[in-house]
Amino acid sequence: QQPVQSPQAVILREGEDAVINCSSSKALYSVHWYRQKHGEAPVFLMILLKGGEQKGHDKISASFNEKKQQSSLYLTASQLSYSGTYFCGTCRVAGKSTFGDGTTLTVKP
Amino acid sequence: EAQVTQNPRYLITVTGKKLTVTCSQNMNHEYMSWYRQDPGLGLRQIYYSMNVEVTDKGDVPEGYKVSRKEKRNFPLILESPSPNQTSLYFCASSLSVRDRVEGYTFGSGTRLTVV
């Protein structure tokens, strides 16, 4: 079952914050986040392996609420380089991964 | 440079003509996987491989074959391509899915058009 991402699209000004959510109707092993720029391959951002885990580097962080079967990606003080499509990927069975439809983030000057 | 290499980058072919998209990684990764990406549908898993000679179906395996004879290579085979297989294809690899400690490294993609 594909995870559901929200919102589908976000438009921000530089310096503003954004939150992208990813939820699943079934239990999860792990959640991983990727950013894809137009015409390029997805690039790994971070993976969260267990409930309650939070990770981050620079101004991008994420949390994983295993009980609620959801994860959120937080982008603070957004930069132009943050523009792209963000995907969450989830694993319920080792090896078998499913991705959300993506959230398109546009950061304007 | 650590990378996943896919070839070709672009391919136009005709219905029914067998083709192979190659994928190779130089990171000694155990896990490899194929995805197709279509507008509005995100990334959908075709096949994956946990290790050499171990492959399994993803969510959309129909019309595709794979093999994993060596650790570094994971080719995707379309025996009889059809227009509904027109898509952007990505290969990905990861150190070890059992340990679940790493995300995937993706190749640059192969844009396939079947006419």
Side-chain angles (χ1 to χ4, degrees):
Chain A
Q1 183 111 19
Q2 191 179 18
V4 177
Q5 285 187 236
S6 62
Q8 284 189 314
V10 183
I11 300 175
L12 300 172
R13 294 283 180 191
E14 266 188 297
E16 292 182 337
D17 302 341
V19 180
I20 300 171
N21 298 303
C22 173
S23 63
S24 172
S25 59
K26 306 208 176 192
L28 304 169
Y29 259 178
S30 62
V31 178
H32 35 139
W33 287 94
Y34 298 81
R35 176 171 59 213
Q36 183 179 30
K37 294 190 179 281
H38 185 68
E40 299 180 9
V43 173
F44 172 67
L45 294 175
M46 64 190 78
I47 187 166
L48 300 111
L49 300 177
K50 54 190 174 190
E53 185 170 15
Q54 297 189 37
K55 276 190 179 178
H57 50 83
D58 201 8
K59 296 186 177 71
I60 300 176
S61 61
S63 63
F64 179 21
N65 187 324
E66 194 174 32
K67 203 169 182 180
K68 292 185 179 179
Q69 292 156 194
Q70 68 182 84
S71 176
S72 295
L73 185 72
Y74 307 93
L75 301 103
T76 58
S78 56
Q79 307 166 16
L80 295 176
S81 62
Y82 286 3
S83 291
T85 301
Y86 290 79
F87 293 97
C88 67
T90 66
C91 292
R92 290 187 296 108
V93 174
K96 197 161 185 175
S97 58
T98 310
F99 287 85
D101 285 344
T103 296
T104 302
L105 180 74
T106 305
V107 181
K108 295 188 172 181
Chain B
E1 181 190 351
Q3 60 186 0
V4 176
T5 304
Q6 286 180 235
N7 281 298
R9 287 293 307 275
Y10 302 92
L11 179 60
I12 301 174
T13 190
V14 296
T15 300
K17 186 176 181 182
K18 180 179 178 180
L19 66 92
T20 299
V21 183
T22 64
C23 174
S24 180
Q25 50 91 7
N26 62 0
M27 297 168 281
N28 201 35
H29 282 176
E30 287 186 351
Y31 176 86
M32 297 185 76
S33 183
W34 277 102
Y35 299 87
R36 60 178 290 175
Q37 186 174 36
D38 302 290
L41 294 177
L43 290 154
R44 293 182 292 166
Q45 191 176 40
I46 303 170
Y47 270 95
Y48 63 97
S49 170
M50 301 286 277
N51 214 325
V52 176
E53 302 289 4
V54 180
T55 63
D56 211 341
K57 296 177 181 178
D59 290 325
V60 289
E62 295 77 22
Y64 304 94
K65 282 176 58 177
V66 293
S67 67
R68 187 92 182 270
K69 293 185 171 61
E70 308 164 280
K71 200 171 188 178
R72 64 182 294 128
N73 296 321
F74 190 43
L76 180 69
I77 302 156
L78 285 75
E79 294 270 1
S80 183
S82 62
N84 65 13
Q85 292 179 297
T86 292
S87 186
L88 178 59
Y89 290 86
F90 286 103
C91 179
S93 72
S94 180
L95 182 62
S96 173
V97 175
R98 287 167 298 175
D99 293 339
R100 299 179 292 160
V101 294
E102 285 196 6
Y104 303 155
T105 301
F106 282 86
S108 299
T110 295
R111 188 166 291 281
L112 172 66
T113 303
V114 184
V115 298

